[in-house]
Amino acid sequence: MRLYNTLSRQQEDFAPVRDGTVRMYTCGLTVYARGHIGNFRTFIAVDVLRRALKYVAGHKMHHVMNFTDVDDKTIVGAEKAGLPLREYTDTYIAAFREDAQALGIEAVEDTPRATDEANLQAMAGMINQLEQNGHTYRTDGSIYFKISTFPAYGKLARLDHEALQSGARVDADEYEKENVRDFVLWKATKPGEPTWDCGCGPGRPGWHIECSAMALRLLGEAPIDIHTGGVDLVFPHHENEIAQSEGATGKEFVRFWFHVEHLLVDNQKMSKSAGNFYTVQDVVDKGYRLSALRYLLLSAYYRKQLNFTWIGLEQAEEALRRITDFLGRVDALTSAGEHGEVAERVQQAVTAFDAALGDDLNTAQGLGEIFDLIRALNIAMDAKQVGKGDADRIRSAFAHFDQVLGVLAMRRDEDARPPIPEAEILAAIEARHAARRSRNFAEGDRIRQELLDKGIILEDSPQGTRWKRK
Ligand code: AMP
Ligand code: ZN
C-alpha cells in the first residue's frame, strides 16, 4: 500500500514496522461540543484508512483514538456550563460515540481520555524525561519546551528557522505559524481551573503533551507507524508532538503522518468557531440518510478539500441508490447458469478497486471501478448473460468493497429501521384504507402524501398495501 506522508511530502510504500500490526494514533475530538460533520470527514477518512489497512492490505491493527478532555476549550466550556470538567466532557464523549456508530465508524482498540490517571502519569513522566534531557525551563510554576534545544523543530510543518522566536513563550493550546514560540507542557494551577499534581507541580497538561504521552504509553516503543488528524493539526499540534516525543525518547516518533483536508461550507472551513457547521443530527433532521452522508464524505480523495452542499448529499443518495438497485436486481435474477465472463469481469473490478485504495486511498477511483462494473453487468443482465449461479460471486465482491467503504451495511440497517415508528405507519395505512372504503379519496391521498413526506412510500397490490423507505 502506498501512502502520502506529510513528513516527506511524498507517497511512500507502507508496511508496519513490527509483527504485521499497524500501530496507529488518531487525534480525537476535543470534547467541548458535539462533533460537526467537518470533524467526521476526518474521522471517516481515518476509518477508511483503517479498513483498507485491514481488509485490502491484510494487516492487524492497534489503533488508538483519544478524547481531549482537558484543554483551554473544555475548561472554559465546563465553567460556563457550571459543571465539573469530567461530567461536562462525559456528555460529548457519549455524543461522539453515538454519532460515530451511526456513521459506520469501526470501534478502535483504545479510546483513552487525557484525564485518566495513567495518562496523566505518563505525561508527567515524559515531562520529567524532557527536563532531564535539557529541553525545558520553568517559569511561575509552568513548564515550557525550549524549541532552540531541538534543532529538528519545524521538520513537519517545514518552518523557516529564521522565524523561530526562541525565548518568547506561548501558553495557549492553539496559535499561528507566524507565532512559533516555546510552548507550554504543564500549566501552573489558575484559580477555578481543575488541577492535578503528578510530579510536575500542581497544574494541568498542555494539549500537545497529552497526545505524545498517550500514543507512546498505549502503542509502545517509538516509532509508531501512522499518526493521523486533520490538516489544521500539522502546526502547532503535531510539530510539538514530535518535539516532545523525540526530545524525551531520542527516537523517531512517527513513521507516517496522514492528514485529511478540510470539509468546507460556502468555501470556508467548517468550524465550531465560525458557526458554519452542521451536526449529524442536523443532517437527519433534514430528512437525509447517514449512509448518504458517509458516502459523500468518503467519495472525495482525502487530500482534497470538499465543499459540503445539500445537492451534493442528494447526489450521494442517488449514487448509493444505483448500487442498491443493482444489488436488488442481482438478488432477483431468475435465469439459471454461471458465466466465465462475469467471473472475470468481477475479479477485474476487485483487483482495480484494491489497487485504487492501495494508491494512497483513492476512494474516488475505487468508486469509479464499482460503477464501471455495475454498468457492464447491467448490460450483461439486459442481454441475459448473467445467471443465478453468478449472483454469489457478485455479492461477495460487493461485500469486499463494503468492508472498506462501510456504506451498504449501514443502508441495510437503516432499511430495517423505519424513519418513523412502524406502528405509526401501520395506523396511517389503516386510516387510508378506511378513507378509501368510504370513497374519501382526497383524504386517502393526503395520508399517502403525509407518509411520503416522512420518507415512507406505499405500494398497493392485490395482497394489500406494503410500505418501504423512500
Ligand atoms: P478538534 O476537536 O477541533 O480537535 O477536531 C477533531 C478533528 O477534526 C481534528 O483532526 C481536526 O483536524 C478535524 N477537523 C476539524 N474541522 C474540520 C473540517 N472542517 N474538515 C475536516 N476535518 C476537520
Ligand atoms: Zn493530538
Side-chain angles (χ1 to χ4, degrees):
M1 187 158 180
R2 289 181 71 74
L3 284 178
Y4 182 85
N5 187 350
T6 309
L7 190 62
S8 64
R9 304 288 195 272
Q10 276 175 19
Q11 270 195 28
E12 297 173 37
D13 283 328
F14 174 79
V17 78
R18 280 211 306 265
D19 312 329
T21 300
V22 180
R23 292 176 306 133
M24 179 155 105
Y25 186 87
T26 298
C27 288
L29 196 68
T30 305
V31 279
Y32 75 112
R34 192 158 196 136
H36 55 66
I37 63 174
N39 300 132
F40 282 106
R41 179 191 189 188
T42 289
F43 296 126
I44 286 173
V46 169
D47 181 57
V48 172
L49 169 63
R50 171 189 166 88
R51 288 162 174 263
L53 289 165
K54 280 169 75 174
Y55 305 117
V56 175
H59 301 309
K60 294 193 283 290
M61 294 298 298
H62 184 180
H63 185 183
V64 177
M65 190 183 68
N66 77 295
F67 290 110
T68 301
D69 67 348
V70 55
D71 80 322
D72 297 346
K73 292 178 188 160
T74 43
I75 290 175
V76 170
E79 198 171 305
K80 271 197 191 147
L83 290 172
L85 183 64
R86 187 97 181 174
E87 202 177 305
Y88 173 74
T89 55
D90 273 346
T91 316
Y92 297 113
I93 290 176
F96 174 84
R97 291 192 192 280
E98 199 179 297
D99 288 346
Q101 196 187 9
L103 286 171
I105 294 174
E106 278 191 352
V108 307
E109 285 68 29
D110 277 309
T111 52
R113 298 173 69 150
T115 62
D116 286 341
E117 180 63 28
N119 293 328
L120 289 164
Q121 290 295 346
M123 293 168 212
M126 186 174 265
I127 294 171
N128 285 335
Q129 191 60 53
L130 286 169
E131 289 196 302
Q132 280 174 33
N133 296 356
H135 289 299
T136 65
Y137 57 90
R138 288 181 184 240
T139 304
D140 300 332
S142 293
I143 307 175
Y144 295 87
F145 187 98
K146 190 172 165 78
I147 54 177
S148 61
T149 64
F150 189 72
Y153 193 83
K155 69 178 173 179
L156 181 69
R158 306 245 165 141
L159 299 177
D160 174 1
H161 268 258
E162 303 296 296
L164 305 190
Q165 300 181 41
S166 189
R169 289 186 299 275
V170 56
D171 280 321
D173 283 329
E174 288 176 84
Y175 45 93
E176 300 302 315
K177 228 177 176 172
E178 292 68 45
N179 236 336
V180 188
R181 288 160 189 230
D182 292 346
F183 59 91
V184 71
L185 298 166
W186 193 260
K187 301 195 197 195
T189 311
K190 283 200 202 128
E193 285 199 351
T195 176
W196 293 270
D197 195 349
C198 320
C200 297
R204 53 113 168 165
W207 172 32
H208 315 298
I209 195 73
E210 299 176 15
C211 286
S212 290
M214 287 187 276
L216 290 179
R217 178 174 94 78
L218 289 158
L219 293 173
E221 211 180 314
I224 65 169
D225 291 306
I226 307 179
H227 195 310
T228 76
V231 281
D232 54 306
L233 299 190
V234 172
F235 185 85
H237 188 50
H238 290 164
E239 192 65 57
N240 291 352
E241 279 194 47
I242 293 175
Q244 297 163 152
S245 308
E246 300 190 355
T249 65
K251 290 188 197 147
E252 182 188 28
F253 175 40
V254 169
R255 299 172 56 231
F256 281 73
W257 287 92
F258 177 92
H259 290 108
V260 183
E261 260 300 346
H262 285 145
L263 184 70
L264 312 179
V265 203
D266 298 329
N267 295 304
Q268 301 289 322
K269 178 190 169 192
M270 182 178 288
S271 74
K272 179 84 183 7
S273 54
N276 60 348
F277 64 91
Y278 300 107
T279 62
V280 166
Q281 192 57 47
D282 293 333
V283 172
V284 172
D285 289 346
K286 285 229 178 203
Y288 291 94
R289 297 172 82 166
L290 294 182
S291 51
L293 178 61
R294 179 175 168 102
Y295 182 97
L296 174 66
L297 294 178
L298 66 70
S299 61
Y301 181 39
Y302 75 92
R303 291 189 54 231
K304 282 209 179 122
Q305 294 184 330
L306 172 66
N307 193 42
F308 176 80
T309 61
W310 296 104
I311 290 175
L313 192 53
E314 267 159 43
Q315 286 164 345
E317 172 63 33
E318 191 52 46
L320 252 179
R321 197 167 310 175
R322 268 169 59 206
I323 303 179
T324 48
D325 284 354
F326 167 77
L327 290 174
R329 203 174 168 197
V330 171
D331 287 342
L333 280 169
T334 49
S335 60
E338 198 176 334
H339 301 75
E341 305 77 44
V342 173
E344 225 168 86
R345 185 63 189 78
V346 168
Q347 188 49 49
Q348 182 198 328
V350 170
T351 306
F353 176 86
D354 286 358
L357 271 292
D359 179 16
D360 195 29
L361 229 57
N362 193 338
T363 47
Q365 176 73 29
L367 289 168
E369 302 295 345
I370 294 177
F371 284 107
D372 283 350
L373 176 66
I374 290 177
R375 216 165 293 125
L377 291 181
N378 269 329
I379 292 169
M381 282 196 269
D382 292 343
K384 306 266 179 284
Q385 284 161 358
V386 185
K388 267 164 111 168
D390 299 310
D392 274 347
R393 193 183 300 277
I394 297 171
R395 280 192 287 260
S396 74
F398 277 78
H400 171 67
F401 301 146
D402 203 49
Q403 279 185 311
V404 180
L405 303 175
V407 283
L408 299 175
M410 264 178 88
R411 225 168 154 85
R412 277 192 294 274
D413 282 354
E414 288 167 352
D415 284 338
R417 264 183 291 116
I420 54 175
E422 191 167 17
E424 198 179 311
I425 303 173
L426 297 177
I429 290 174
E430 201 32 63
R432 175 166 165 268
H433 280 313
R436 288 171 67 88
R437 274 196 302 273
S438 56
R439 311 199 71 72
N440 187 351
F441 295 109
E443 173 62 6
D445 288 348
R446 191 196 61 76
I447 294 172
R448 171 194 278 273
Q449 186 59 45
E450 194 174 76
L451 283 176
L452 191 61
D453 292 342
K454 289 179 179 166
I456 299 293
I457 298 174
L458 298 186
E459 285 177 339
D460 295 316
S461 76
Q463 285 77 42
T465 302
R466 294 195 330 164
W467 65 266
K468 66 174 192 189
R469 285 187 68 126
K470 189 157 77 177

